[in-house]
Amino acid sequence: MASRDYYEILGVSRSADDEDLKKAYRKLALMYHPDRNPGDKEAEQKFKDASEAYAVLTDKSKRAQYDQFGHVEGMDQEGPFGGFGAGGFGNLGGFSDVFGDIFSDFFGGQTRGGPRGRQVRRGSDLQYNMEVSFDQAVSGFATEVTIPRMETCGTCGGLGAKSAKDIEVCSVCQGSGQQRVQQGFFSVATTCGRCRGNGKIIKEVCPTCRGEARVRKQNRLKVTIPAGVDTGARLKLTGEGEGGINGGPAGDLYIAITVQPHPFFFREDDDIFCEMPISLVKAALGTDIVVPTLNGRAELKIPPGTQSGRQFRMKSKGIPHLRGSGRGDQYVRVTVEIPTNLSKKQRELLQEFGELEVEQAGKANVNYPRVSSFLEKFKEWLG
């Protein structure tokens, strides 16, 4: 190695503590690791330089000697700082922690804290799709659902073995769940091939779960759907998902709601809308009509001269607020229907009505203010 300053190589100050050194080395190791730079000799050398610097500066006695005497040319396996030959790093001390983090980033695995297979893991979340009627979504209801899920085996209590006596420590990895494999100039911890990372071998499996430690069951649950839910709502039932692994907590269950359409109403947030057709005569003269609401029938007053498309608000006749008290509103849109299939008498009366309108020719038509307004604008546009 060239006589570059170890602190300079890692990019830290001379007062850097072990945590600073670890962060700096981890960054460089991830950048120049040979697995990320295959065939790149320059990157490999930088990785070796950073590794040598980290090994020295994280060893208190070696760091003290280095700070006092500096870098010594020709430093080898017998030198004061140990060796960094192609077969390994000698006594690396703090490398075990930082290599664990790096290998985790490279391989998505685990190099410390216990083998992968023996990890306590949370169970998976589940989702149940539920279709409800419009009325059920408005009022809320209680029901039961059956959820197939994996649960901890009740026979073996999650051991996977017929009894505790049927479990023995793996003779290959000695219970660690890992084997050391040499990769170039350092070794890598891999999952033990015999026990598959469990660290233990089951001589006789549980007859119920056949060694899986969990069994599939039909779980029947009571579910309360609150008033006011809408399509897209997801209700969370904590701990009702898949059972955990190796004693881990269970996952959660989510109830995904889809609301069926209604024959009269459509919904926007907590307001509901409906259309009511009325006759030409009732729109002209005014009347009281009966309209559907979520709570049954209700009367709505239609004033004389109501135009088609006019919307009336019925306060607090909508959907209950899902969070908080109160309800939305109901809006009734009136559509005026033109009569068809007229009788002879009806036709004569309408013609007579039309003649009465003609008598007002030359004046603003008080019966049809929108028509009169349009004609005035049209005349102005024509010039």
Side-chain angles (χ1 to χ4, degrees):
M1 177 185 188
S3 58
R4 284 182 60 198
D5 187 280
Y6 283 143
Y7 295 100
E8 180 185 344
I9 290 171
L10 294 180
V12 297
S13 67
R14 301 188 74 83
S15 61
D17 58 19
D18 286 349
E19 188 63 29
D20 294 331
L21 295 170
K22 179 179 177 180
K23 289 179 180 178
Y25 173 68
R26 183 175 182 275
K27 180 179 178 181
L28 293 173
L30 285 170
M31 185 183 303
Y32 298 118
H33 192 283
D35 285 349
R36 287 192 171 180
N37 304 274
D40 188 335
K41 297 299 183 181
E42 183 180 355
E44 182 177 336
Q45 185 59 51
K46 288 183 177 180
F47 179 76
K48 291 180 179 180
D49 291 348
S51 299
E52 180 180 336
Y54 179 74
V56 170
L57 298 182
T58 52
D59 185 296
K60 291 183 178 179
S61 61
K62 292 179 181 179
R63 183 174 182 176
Q65 292 180 59
Y66 176 75
D67 288 343
Q68 183 177 1
F69 300 108
H71 186 275
V72 179
E73 292 292 343
M75 196 177 299
D76 56 20
Q77 293 275 3
E78 309 303 325
F81 305 124
F84 293 88
F89 293 99
N91 180 16
L92 303 183
F95 272 97
S96 59
D97 285 343
V98 72
F99 276 3
D101 293 341
I102 294 171
F103 294 152
S104 179
D105 285 339
F106 282 163
F107 309 116
Q110 175 178 324
T111 61
R112 57 194 174 102
R116 181 195 300 270
R118 295 172 60 188
Q119 280 185 299
V120 173
R121 289 185 287 179
R122 179 179 179 275
S124 300
D125 293 336
L126 298 176
Q127 178 168 301
Y128 181 87
N129 299 322
M130 179 181 291
E131 190 172 62
V132 303
S133 70
F134 193 95
D135 293 333
Q136 286 176 321
V138 169
S139 58
F141 67 103
T143 187
E144 287 190 347
V145 296
T146 300
I147 308 295
R149 69 175 185 179
M150 297 297 293
E151 298 182 0
T152 300
C153 177
T155 303
C156 66
L159 291 175
K162 189 173 182 180
S163 69
K165 297 178 181 179
D166 294 302
I167 302 176
E168 64 180 18
V169 176
C170 175
S171 59
V172 173
C173 65
Q174 305 301 320
S176 69
Q178 297 176 334
Q179 293 174 283
R180 306 296 299 186
V181 177
Q182 197 72 24
Q183 277 198 353
F185 51 85
F186 61 89
S187 61
V188 179
T190 62
T191 301
C192 176
R194 181 165 187 258
C195 66
R196 297 183 180 179
N198 289 305
K200 296 181 180 180
I201 299 295
I202 297 177
K203 294 184 293 183
E204 188 171 356
V205 299
C206 169
T208 302
C209 67
R210 300 185 180 277
E212 295 297 325
R214 298 190 302 173
V215 293
R216 182 164 292 280
K217 288 187 176 181
Q218 300 292 323
N219 186 31
R220 193 158 184 83
L221 294 171
K222 290 184 178 180
V223 178
T224 299
I225 306 300
V229 295
D230 199 3
T231 295
R234 287 211 315 166
L235 310 179
K236 179 181 177 181
L237 280 70
T238 303
E240 297 296 347
E242 299 271 24
I245 298 173
N246 295 323
D252 300 326
L253 171 65
Y254 291 88
I255 307 294
I257 302 295
T258 300
V259 180
Q260 298 171 340
H262 192 276
F264 296 129
F265 306 117
F266 69 92
R267 175 176 178 174
E268 288 185 7
D269 297 326
D270 290 338
D271 296 329
I272 60 171
F273 297 79
C274 69
E275 286 194 358
M276 282 294 297
I278 63 173
S279 70
L280 177 65
V281 174
K282 289 182 177 179
L285 301 180
T287 186
D288 291 333
I289 62 173
V290 176
V291 298
T293 71
L294 296 175
N295 296 320
R297 299 181 175 184
E299 283 196 351
L300 178 65
K301 188 174 185 63
I302 304 298
T306 294
Q307 302 297 309
S308 186
R310 182 174 175 181
Q311 194 162 260
F312 296 89
R313 176 189 177 197
M314 302 177 74
K315 191 174 181 181
S316 299
K317 294 288 187 181
I319 307 289
H321 297 314
L322 187 59
R323 294 176 179 82
S325 59
R327 305 171 71 104
D329 300 324
Q330 177 173 332
Y331 292 89
V332 179
R333 184 174 181 269
V334 170
T335 57
V336 179
E337 187 173 16
I338 304 301
T340 60
N341 303 316
L342 298 175
S343 67
K344 182 179 179 181
K345 183 63 175 178
Q346 288 174 322
R347 185 177 296 274
E348 290 173 352
L349 290 173
L350 280 176
Q351 286 175 342
E352 183 179 347
F353 182 78
E355 290 170 359
L356 292 174
E357 294 174 348
V358 174
E359 290 178 0
Q360 299 181 16
K363 301 179 182 178
N365 196 325
V366 294
N367 296 130
Y368 300 98
R370 292 174 63 186
V371 172
S372 297
S373 175
F374 175 80
L375 291 175
E376 287 296 324
K377 291 179 181 178
F378 188 53
K379 288 178 183 179
E380 291 177 6
W381 181 73
L382 291 174

